[in-house]
Amino acid sequence: MAIGKYLTSPAVLGAALGAVGTARRAGGMPRDWRRFIVWGVWLGGLALAVASVAMQDQDQEFEVEKKSR
């Protein structure tokens, strides 16, 4: 796996830049469990973006295999 495909993916870049908005939102919140929920949702979105980039090669192989049948 090349790290370049993660760094150039719009999904990963958008999710990573979402940390700015999340930090602004969490900064104005009281220090309780809701702050952890906000960061958890952001982290989940970032994980989904990274997973989607990781699965792109398998998706392309599946499409090629499906067309060859």
Side-chain angles (χ1 to χ4, degrees):
M1 280 193 271
I3 194 156
K5 70 179 182 179
Y6 295 99
L7 295 177
T8 58
S9 169
V12 175
L13 289 174
L17 290 175
V20 174
T22 302
R24 286 183 184 166
R25 177 175 291 165
M29 295 177 72
R31 294 183 183 261
D32 61 358
W33 58 271
R34 289 174 280 189
R35 180 179 274 193
F36 293 112
I37 299 295
V38 170
W39 281 108
V41 169
W42 171 78
L43 188 60
L46 181 64
L48 285 173
V50 169
S52 70
V53 172
M55 296 293 291
Q56 281 178 347
D57 292 337
Q58 291 179 0
D59 289 342
Q60 290 171 353
E61 291 171 6
F62 177 75
E63 288 294 324
V64 169
E65 181 181 315
K66 188 172 129 181
K67 286 181 182 180
S68 67
R69 289 188 206 176

